[in-house]
Short mmCIF file of all heavy atoms in Angstrom, two decimals:
data_model
loop_
_atom_site.label_atom_id
_atom_site.label_comp_id
_atom_site.label_asym_id
_atom_site.label_seq_id
_atom_site.Cartn_x
_atom_site.Cartn_y
_atom_site.Cartn_z
N ASP A 34 -29.58 -30.18 35.29
CA ASP A 34 -29.62 -31.61 34.90
C ASP A 34 -30.79 -32.34 35.54
O ASP A 34 -30.99 -32.26 36.76
CB ASP A 34 -28.35 -32.31 35.33
CG ASP A 34 -27.14 -31.82 34.55
OD1 ASP A 34 -27.32 -31.14 33.51
OD2 ASP A 34 -25.99 -32.10 35.02
N GLY A 35 -31.58 -33.03 34.73
CA GLY A 35 -32.65 -33.84 35.22
C GLY A 35 -33.90 -33.09 35.62
O GLY A 35 -34.86 -33.69 36.13
N CYS A 36 -33.96 -31.78 35.40
CA CYS A 36 -35.11 -31.00 35.81
C CYS A 36 -36.10 -30.81 34.66
O CYS A 36 -35.70 -30.70 33.50
CB CYS A 36 -34.63 -29.61 36.31
SG CYS A 36 -33.57 -29.76 37.80
N ARG A 37 -37.38 -30.75 34.99
CA ARG A 37 -38.39 -30.67 33.99
C ARG A 37 -38.84 -29.21 33.84
O ARG A 37 -39.17 -28.50 34.78
CB ARG A 37 -39.66 -31.47 34.43
CG ARG A 37 -40.88 -31.34 33.58
CD ARG A 37 -40.68 -31.89 32.19
NE ARG A 37 -40.39 -33.33 32.21
CZ ARG A 37 -41.39 -34.26 32.16
NH1 ARG A 37 -42.67 -33.89 32.10
NH2 ARG A 37 -41.07 -35.54 32.17
N MET A 38 -38.80 -28.71 32.57
CA MET A 38 -39.21 -27.36 32.25
C MET A 38 -40.73 -27.25 32.39
O MET A 38 -41.50 -28.13 31.98
CB MET A 38 -38.81 -26.97 30.84
CG MET A 38 -39.04 -25.52 30.48
SD MET A 38 -37.90 -24.39 31.40
CE MET A 38 -36.46 -24.48 30.33
N VAL A 39 -41.16 -26.16 32.99
CA VAL A 39 -42.57 -25.83 33.17
C VAL A 39 -42.86 -24.46 32.54
O VAL A 39 -42.16 -23.55 32.83
CB VAL A 39 -42.98 -25.87 34.61
CG1 VAL A 39 -44.46 -25.48 34.81
CG2 VAL A 39 -42.71 -27.22 35.24
N GLY A 40 -43.85 -24.40 31.67
CA GLY A 40 -44.21 -23.10 31.09
C GLY A 40 -44.85 -23.32 29.73
O GLY A 40 -45.11 -24.45 29.30
N PRO A 41 -45.10 -22.24 29.01
CA PRO A 41 -45.77 -22.30 27.74
C PRO A 41 -45.08 -23.18 26.70
O PRO A 41 -45.74 -23.83 25.88
CB PRO A 41 -45.77 -20.87 27.24
CG PRO A 41 -45.71 -20.05 28.56
CD PRO A 41 -44.82 -20.84 29.46
N SER A 42 -43.74 -23.25 26.74
CA SER A 42 -43.05 -24.06 25.75
C SER A 42 -43.01 -25.53 26.12
O SER A 42 -42.60 -26.37 25.29
CB SER A 42 -41.61 -23.59 25.60
OG SER A 42 -40.85 -23.88 26.77
N ALA A 43 -43.52 -25.88 27.29
CA ALA A 43 -43.55 -27.27 27.75
C ALA A 43 -44.86 -27.60 28.38
O ALA A 43 -44.92 -28.12 29.51
CB ALA A 43 -42.37 -27.51 28.71
N ALA A 44 -45.95 -27.25 27.71
CA ALA A 44 -47.27 -27.43 28.33
C ALA A 44 -47.54 -28.92 28.58
O ALA A 44 -47.16 -29.77 27.75
CB ALA A 44 -48.32 -26.88 27.37
N ALA A 45 -48.15 -29.19 29.72
CA ALA A 45 -48.44 -30.56 30.11
C ALA A 45 -49.92 -30.82 29.93
O ALA A 45 -50.78 -29.98 30.28
CB ALA A 45 -48.02 -30.78 31.58
N ARG A 46 -50.20 -32.01 29.41
CA ARG A 46 -51.61 -32.45 29.25
C ARG A 46 -51.87 -33.67 30.08
O ARG A 46 -51.02 -34.59 30.09
CB ARG A 46 -51.92 -32.73 27.76
CG ARG A 46 -51.83 -31.51 26.86
CD ARG A 46 -52.23 -31.90 25.44
NE ARG A 46 -52.21 -30.75 24.54
CZ ARG A 46 -52.50 -30.77 23.27
NH1 ARG A 46 -52.91 -31.92 22.77
NH2 ARG A 46 -52.44 -29.70 22.53
N SER A 47 -52.95 -33.67 30.75
CA SER A 47 -53.34 -34.82 31.61
C SER A 47 -53.68 -36.04 30.72
O SER A 47 -54.34 -35.91 29.72
CB SER A 47 -54.53 -34.44 32.48
OG SER A 47 -54.92 -35.59 33.21
N ALA A 48 -53.16 -37.15 31.14
CA ALA A 48 -53.44 -38.42 30.47
C ALA A 48 -54.69 -39.09 31.02
O ALA A 48 -55.14 -40.11 30.54
CB ALA A 48 -52.26 -39.38 30.59
N VAL A 49 -55.27 -38.46 32.07
CA VAL A 49 -56.47 -39.07 32.71
C VAL A 49 -57.71 -38.52 32.02
O VAL A 49 -57.93 -37.27 31.96
CB VAL A 49 -56.49 -38.66 34.19
CG1 VAL A 49 -57.72 -39.24 34.87
CG2 VAL A 49 -55.26 -39.19 34.90
N THR A 50 -58.52 -39.38 31.49
CA THR A 50 -59.80 -38.97 30.86
C THR A 50 -60.97 -39.07 31.80
O THR A 50 -61.79 -38.24 31.91
CB THR A 50 -60.04 -39.82 29.58
OG1 THR A 50 -60.00 -41.19 29.94
CG2 THR A 50 -58.96 -39.53 28.54
N SER A 51 -61.00 -40.17 32.53
CA SER A 51 -62.03 -40.40 33.54
C SER A 51 -61.58 -41.50 34.49
O SER A 51 -60.76 -42.34 34.12
CB SER A 51 -63.42 -40.80 32.89
OG SER A 51 -63.28 -42.04 32.25
N SER A 52 -62.12 -41.45 35.65
CA SER A 52 -61.75 -42.47 36.66
C SER A 52 -62.89 -42.64 37.65
O SER A 52 -63.20 -41.75 38.42
CB SER A 52 -60.49 -42.03 37.43
OG SER A 52 -60.14 -43.03 38.39
N ALA A 53 -63.58 -43.81 37.55
CA ALA A 53 -64.63 -44.11 38.53
C ALA A 53 -64.05 -44.49 39.84
O ALA A 53 -63.04 -45.19 39.90
CB ALA A 53 -65.52 -45.25 37.96
N PRO A 54 -64.64 -44.05 40.96
CA PRO A 54 -64.17 -44.47 42.27
C PRO A 54 -64.18 -45.98 42.48
O PRO A 54 -65.08 -46.65 41.95
CB PRO A 54 -65.15 -43.77 43.23
CG PRO A 54 -65.76 -42.67 42.41
CD PRO A 54 -65.83 -43.20 41.04
N VAL A 55 -63.23 -46.51 43.13
CA VAL A 55 -63.21 -47.93 43.49
C VAL A 55 -63.20 -48.11 44.96
O VAL A 55 -62.82 -47.20 45.72
CB VAL A 55 -61.95 -48.62 42.84
CG1 VAL A 55 -61.97 -48.52 41.34
CG2 VAL A 55 -60.69 -47.99 43.42
N PHE A 56 -63.72 -49.26 45.40
CA PHE A 56 -63.74 -49.55 46.86
C PHE A 56 -63.21 -50.97 47.11
O PHE A 56 -63.60 -51.92 46.42
CB PHE A 56 -65.13 -49.45 47.45
CG PHE A 56 -65.14 -49.57 48.95
CD1 PHE A 56 -64.87 -48.52 49.75
CD2 PHE A 56 -65.38 -50.83 49.51
CE1 PHE A 56 -64.82 -48.63 51.12
CE2 PHE A 56 -65.34 -51.01 50.91
CZ PHE A 56 -65.08 -49.87 51.72
N PRO A 57 -62.33 -51.10 48.09
CA PRO A 57 -61.70 -50.01 48.79
C PRO A 57 -60.70 -49.25 47.93
O PRO A 57 -60.20 -49.80 46.96
CB PRO A 57 -60.95 -50.72 49.96
CG PRO A 57 -60.65 -52.05 49.36
CD PRO A 57 -61.82 -52.40 48.48
N PRO A 58 -60.45 -47.97 48.23
CA PRO A 58 -59.46 -47.24 47.37
C PRO A 58 -58.07 -47.86 47.52
O PRO A 58 -57.76 -48.49 48.55
CB PRO A 58 -59.52 -45.82 48.00
CG PRO A 58 -60.01 -46.02 49.39
CD PRO A 58 -60.96 -47.20 49.37
N PRO A 59 -57.25 -47.74 46.52
CA PRO A 59 -55.88 -48.22 46.65
C PRO A 59 -55.16 -47.69 47.84
O PRO A 59 -55.21 -46.45 48.10
CB PRO A 59 -55.23 -47.77 45.34
CG PRO A 59 -56.39 -47.58 44.39
CD PRO A 59 -57.51 -47.08 45.20
N GLN A 60 -54.50 -48.55 48.58
CA GLN A 60 -53.86 -48.15 49.82
C GLN A 60 -52.45 -47.64 49.55
O GLN A 60 -51.41 -48.21 49.97
CB GLN A 60 -53.86 -49.35 50.80
CG GLN A 60 -55.24 -49.79 51.25
CD GLN A 60 -55.99 -48.65 51.93
OE1 GLN A 60 -55.68 -48.28 53.10
NE2 GLN A 60 -57.01 -48.09 51.28
N LEU A 61 -52.40 -46.55 48.85
CA LEU A 61 -51.18 -45.87 48.49
C LEU A 61 -51.07 -44.55 49.19
O LEU A 61 -51.91 -43.66 48.96
CB LEU A 61 -51.04 -45.71 46.98
CG LEU A 61 -49.74 -45.04 46.51
CD1 LEU A 61 -48.56 -45.97 46.69
CD2 LEU A 61 -49.85 -44.64 45.02
N GLN A 62 -50.11 -44.37 50.04
CA GLN A 62 -49.88 -43.10 50.69
C GLN A 62 -49.02 -42.22 49.79
O GLN A 62 -47.99 -42.61 49.26
CB GLN A 62 -49.18 -43.28 52.04
CG GLN A 62 -48.88 -41.94 52.76
CD GLN A 62 -48.27 -42.17 54.14
OE1 GLN A 62 -48.94 -42.07 55.13
NE2 GLN A 62 -46.96 -42.47 54.13
N ILE A 63 -49.48 -40.98 49.63
CA ILE A 63 -48.78 -39.98 48.86
C ILE A 63 -48.46 -38.78 49.78
O ILE A 63 -49.38 -38.09 50.13
CB ILE A 63 -49.60 -39.53 47.65
CG1 ILE A 63 -50.12 -40.74 46.89
CG2 ILE A 63 -48.85 -38.60 46.72
CD1 ILE A 63 -51.21 -40.33 45.83
N ARG A 64 -47.19 -38.58 50.03
CA ARG A 64 -46.84 -37.67 51.13
C ARG A 64 -45.60 -36.87 50.69
O ARG A 64 -44.61 -37.40 50.18
CB ARG A 64 -46.55 -38.40 52.43
CG ARG A 64 -46.27 -37.55 53.65
CD ARG A 64 -46.13 -38.40 54.85
NE ARG A 64 -44.93 -39.26 54.78
CZ ARG A 64 -43.73 -38.88 55.23
NH1 ARG A 64 -43.57 -37.70 55.81
NH2 ARG A 64 -42.69 -39.73 55.16
N THR A 65 -45.68 -35.55 50.96
CA THR A 65 -44.54 -34.66 50.76
C THR A 65 -44.02 -34.29 52.15
O THR A 65 -44.61 -33.48 52.84
CB THR A 65 -44.87 -33.38 49.98
OG1 THR A 65 -45.38 -33.80 48.71
CG2 THR A 65 -43.69 -32.46 49.78
N PRO A 66 -42.88 -34.86 52.61
CA PRO A 66 -42.45 -34.65 54.00
C PRO A 66 -41.89 -33.28 54.24
O PRO A 66 -41.95 -32.82 55.43
CB PRO A 66 -41.38 -35.73 54.19
CG PRO A 66 -40.85 -35.99 52.81
CD PRO A 66 -42.06 -35.83 51.90
N PHE A 67 -41.42 -32.59 53.25
CA PHE A 67 -40.84 -31.24 53.46
C PHE A 67 -41.23 -30.36 52.26
O PHE A 67 -40.84 -30.60 51.16
CB PHE A 67 -39.33 -31.29 53.59
CG PHE A 67 -38.72 -30.06 54.12
CD1 PHE A 67 -38.82 -29.76 55.49
CD2 PHE A 67 -38.07 -29.17 53.30
CE1 PHE A 67 -38.27 -28.60 56.02
CE2 PHE A 67 -37.51 -27.98 53.81
CZ PHE A 67 -37.63 -27.73 55.16
N GLU A 68 -42.04 -29.32 52.55
CA GLU A 68 -42.59 -28.46 51.50
C GLU A 68 -41.48 -27.62 50.88
O GLU A 68 -40.59 -27.18 51.53
CB GLU A 68 -43.72 -27.65 52.09
CG GLU A 68 -44.91 -28.46 52.57
CD GLU A 68 -45.90 -27.63 53.30
OE1 GLU A 68 -45.50 -26.60 53.92
OE2 GLU A 68 -47.07 -28.03 53.36
N PRO A 69 -41.59 -27.36 49.58
CA PRO A 69 -40.50 -26.68 48.85
C PRO A 69 -40.64 -25.16 48.92
O PRO A 69 -41.72 -24.59 49.21
CB PRO A 69 -40.69 -27.15 47.44
CG PRO A 69 -42.19 -27.35 47.31
CD PRO A 69 -42.64 -27.90 48.64
N THR A 70 -39.52 -24.50 48.61
CA THR A 70 -39.50 -23.09 48.43
C THR A 70 -38.79 -22.79 47.09
O THR A 70 -37.75 -23.36 46.80
CB THR A 70 -38.67 -22.40 49.57
OG1 THR A 70 -39.35 -22.56 50.81
CG2 THR A 70 -38.47 -20.89 49.31
N ALA A 71 -39.40 -21.96 46.27
CA ALA A 71 -38.80 -21.65 44.95
C ALA A 71 -37.59 -20.74 45.09
O ALA A 71 -37.50 -19.91 45.98
CB ALA A 71 -39.84 -20.98 44.10
N PHE A 72 -36.60 -20.96 44.21
CA PHE A 72 -35.43 -20.06 44.15
C PHE A 72 -35.09 -19.76 42.71
O PHE A 72 -35.35 -20.61 41.84
CB PHE A 72 -34.22 -20.71 44.86
CG PHE A 72 -33.66 -21.92 44.20
CD1 PHE A 72 -32.65 -21.79 43.29
CD2 PHE A 72 -34.13 -23.16 44.48
CE1 PHE A 72 -32.13 -22.89 42.58
CE2 PHE A 72 -33.57 -24.30 43.83
CZ PHE A 72 -32.58 -24.16 42.90
N PRO A 73 -34.52 -18.61 42.45
CA PRO A 73 -34.23 -18.21 41.02
C PRO A 73 -32.75 -18.60 40.68
O PRO A 73 -31.84 -18.53 41.54
CB PRO A 73 -34.40 -16.72 41.05
CG PRO A 73 -34.09 -16.30 42.49
CD PRO A 73 -34.48 -17.47 43.33
N SER A 74 -32.57 -18.91 39.41
CA SER A 74 -31.24 -19.17 38.86
C SER A 74 -31.25 -18.96 37.39
O SER A 74 -31.93 -19.66 36.65
CB SER A 74 -30.73 -20.58 39.21
OG SER A 74 -29.41 -20.77 38.78
N ALA A 75 -30.50 -17.97 36.90
CA ALA A 75 -30.25 -17.72 35.51
C ALA A 75 -31.55 -17.65 34.67
O ALA A 75 -31.68 -18.26 33.60
CB ALA A 75 -29.33 -18.76 34.89
N GLY A 76 -32.51 -16.92 35.19
CA GLY A 76 -33.73 -16.63 34.44
C GLY A 76 -34.84 -17.63 34.63
O GLY A 76 -35.92 -17.50 34.04
N LEU A 77 -34.62 -18.67 35.43
CA LEU A 77 -35.66 -19.68 35.75
C LEU A 77 -35.90 -19.65 37.26
O LEU A 77 -35.04 -19.30 38.03
CB LEU A 77 -35.20 -21.06 35.32
CG LEU A 77 -34.86 -21.26 33.82
CD1 LEU A 77 -34.36 -22.66 33.59
CD2 LEU A 77 -36.06 -20.96 32.92
N ASN A 78 -37.06 -20.14 37.65
CA ASN A 78 -37.38 -20.36 39.06
C ASN A 78 -37.52 -21.86 39.28
O ASN A 78 -38.19 -22.55 38.47
CB ASN A 78 -38.69 -19.64 39.49
CG ASN A 78 -38.41 -18.24 39.96
OD1 ASN A 78 -37.25 -17.90 40.30
ND2 ASN A 78 -39.41 -17.40 39.96
N TYR A 79 -36.91 -22.37 40.32
CA TYR A 79 -36.88 -23.82 40.56
C TYR A 79 -37.67 -24.20 41.80
O TYR A 79 -37.66 -23.50 42.80
CB TYR A 79 -35.41 -24.27 40.75
CG TYR A 79 -34.62 -24.31 39.51
CD1 TYR A 79 -33.98 -23.22 39.04
CD2 TYR A 79 -34.51 -25.49 38.77
CE1 TYR A 79 -33.19 -23.24 37.88
CE2 TYR A 79 -33.77 -25.57 37.58
CZ TYR A 79 -33.11 -24.45 37.15
OH TYR A 79 -32.35 -24.46 35.97
N LEU A 80 -38.32 -25.34 41.71
CA LEU A 80 -38.87 -26.05 42.89
C LEU A 80 -38.24 -27.45 42.91
O LEU A 80 -38.32 -28.21 41.96
CB LEU A 80 -40.39 -26.19 42.74
CG LEU A 80 -41.25 -25.02 43.07
CD1 LEU A 80 -42.73 -25.35 42.84
CD2 LEU A 80 -41.04 -24.52 44.52
N ILE A 81 -37.57 -27.73 44.03
CA ILE A 81 -36.90 -29.03 44.20
C ILE A 81 -37.47 -29.64 45.54
O ILE A 81 -37.36 -29.03 46.59
CB ILE A 81 -35.38 -28.85 44.31
CG1 ILE A 81 -34.83 -28.36 43.01
CG2 ILE A 81 -34.70 -30.17 44.74
CD1 ILE A 81 -33.30 -28.15 42.99
N TYR A 82 -38.08 -30.82 45.38
CA TYR A 82 -38.70 -31.44 46.54
C TYR A 82 -39.01 -32.96 46.22
O TYR A 82 -38.70 -33.42 45.09
CB TYR A 82 -39.99 -30.72 46.88
CG TYR A 82 -41.06 -30.86 45.83
CD1 TYR A 82 -42.13 -31.76 45.93
CD2 TYR A 82 -41.03 -30.07 44.65
CE1 TYR A 82 -43.11 -31.85 44.98
CE2 TYR A 82 -42.00 -30.17 43.67
CZ TYR A 82 -43.04 -31.10 43.84
OH TYR A 82 -44.00 -31.18 42.85
N GLU A 83 -39.51 -33.68 47.20
CA GLU A 83 -39.73 -35.08 47.07
C GLU A 83 -41.18 -35.42 47.42
O GLU A 83 -41.75 -34.77 48.29
CB GLU A 83 -38.81 -35.90 47.97
CG GLU A 83 -37.32 -35.65 47.78
CD GLU A 83 -36.86 -34.40 48.46
OE1 GLU A 83 -37.18 -34.19 49.63
OE2 GLU A 83 -36.24 -33.55 47.75
N VAL A 84 -41.68 -36.47 46.81
CA VAL A 84 -42.92 -37.06 47.17
C VAL A 84 -42.68 -38.55 47.49
O VAL A 84 -42.15 -39.28 46.66
CB VAL A 84 -44.00 -36.95 46.05
CG1 VAL A 84 -45.27 -37.71 46.41
CG2 VAL A 84 -44.33 -35.46 45.81
N HIS A 85 -43.12 -38.96 48.69
CA HIS A 85 -42.89 -40.34 49.14
C HIS A 85 -44.17 -41.12 48.89
O HIS A 85 -45.29 -40.72 49.21
CB HIS A 85 -42.63 -40.38 50.65
CG HIS A 85 -41.25 -39.82 51.01
ND1 HIS A 85 -40.49 -40.28 52.02
CD2 HIS A 85 -40.52 -38.77 50.46
CE1 HIS A 85 -39.34 -39.62 52.10
NE2 HIS A 85 -39.37 -38.70 51.15
N LEU A 86 -44.01 -42.28 48.28
CA LEU A 86 -45.12 -43.18 47.94
C LEU A 86 -44.94 -44.45 48.80
O LEU A 86 -43.86 -45.10 48.74
CB LEU A 86 -45.13 -43.54 46.45
CG LEU A 86 -45.16 -42.36 45.51
CD1 LEU A 86 -45.06 -42.82 44.06
CD2 LEU A 86 -46.40 -41.49 45.71
N GLN A 87 -45.96 -44.85 49.50
CA GLN A 87 -45.89 -46.08 50.34
C GLN A 87 -47.08 -46.95 50.02
O GLN A 87 -48.23 -46.52 50.13
CB GLN A 87 -45.91 -45.68 51.81
CG GLN A 87 -45.91 -46.89 52.77
CD GLN A 87 -44.63 -47.59 52.89
OE1 GLN A 87 -43.55 -46.97 53.08
NE2 GLN A 87 -44.58 -48.89 52.69
N ASN A 88 -46.82 -48.19 49.62
CA ASN A 88 -47.86 -49.18 49.36
C ASN A 88 -48.23 -49.86 50.64
O ASN A 88 -47.45 -50.69 51.13
CB ASN A 88 -47.39 -50.18 48.27
CG ASN A 88 -48.44 -51.15 47.90
OD1 ASN A 88 -49.52 -51.22 48.51
ND2 ASN A 88 -48.16 -51.99 46.90
N PHE A 89 -49.37 -49.57 51.18
CA PHE A 89 -49.82 -50.16 52.48
C PHE A 89 -50.70 -51.38 52.26
O PHE A 89 -51.51 -51.70 53.14
CB PHE A 89 -50.55 -49.08 53.29
CG PHE A 89 -49.61 -48.19 54.09
CD1 PHE A 89 -49.23 -46.97 53.58
CD2 PHE A 89 -49.13 -48.59 55.31
CE1 PHE A 89 -48.37 -46.13 54.30
CE2 PHE A 89 -48.23 -47.78 56.02
CZ PHE A 89 -47.85 -46.55 55.50
N SER A 90 -50.58 -52.00 51.12
CA SER A 90 -51.32 -53.26 50.92
C SER A 90 -50.33 -54.38 50.62
O SER A 90 -49.18 -54.15 50.49
CB SER A 90 -52.28 -53.09 49.72
OG SER A 90 -51.56 -53.05 48.49
N ASP A 91 -50.85 -55.61 50.59
CA ASP A 91 -50.07 -56.77 50.27
C ASP A 91 -49.86 -56.97 48.77
O ASP A 91 -48.94 -57.62 48.35
CB ASP A 91 -50.70 -58.05 50.85
CG ASP A 91 -50.74 -58.01 52.38
OD1 ASP A 91 -49.84 -57.41 52.95
OD2 ASP A 91 -51.67 -58.64 52.93
N ALA A 92 -50.72 -56.38 47.98
CA ALA A 92 -50.70 -56.55 46.53
C ALA A 92 -49.83 -55.48 45.86
O ALA A 92 -49.74 -54.32 46.36
CB ALA A 92 -52.09 -56.53 45.96
N ALA A 93 -49.16 -55.87 44.80
CA ALA A 93 -48.38 -54.92 44.06
C ALA A 93 -49.26 -53.89 43.33
O ALA A 93 -50.44 -54.17 43.01
CB ALA A 93 -47.47 -55.62 43.04
N MET A 94 -48.74 -52.70 43.11
CA MET A 94 -49.42 -51.64 42.38
C MET A 94 -48.59 -51.24 41.15
O MET A 94 -47.35 -51.09 41.29
CB MET A 94 -49.70 -50.43 43.23
CG MET A 94 -50.57 -50.67 44.44
SD MET A 94 -50.75 -49.15 45.39
CE MET A 94 -51.81 -49.74 46.74
#
Side-chain angles (χ1 to χ4, degrees):
D34 292 346
C36 298
R37 174 65 63 89
M38 186 71 82
V39 176
S42 69
R46 294 184 179 180
S47 175
V49 179
T50 55
S51 63
S52 177
V55 298
F56 185 85
Q60 295 300 289
L61 180 69
Q62 178 176 259
I63 309 170
R64 185 175 66 91
T65 300
F67 195 75
E68 296 170 335
T70 296
F72 69 89
S74 185
L77 302 176
N78 272 340
Y79 285 86
L80 282 178
I81 294 179
Y82 65 102
E83 304 79 50
V84 173
H85 290 214
L86 306 175
Q87 176 75 51
N88 183 351
F89 277 96
S90 72
D91 295 330
M94 296 180 181

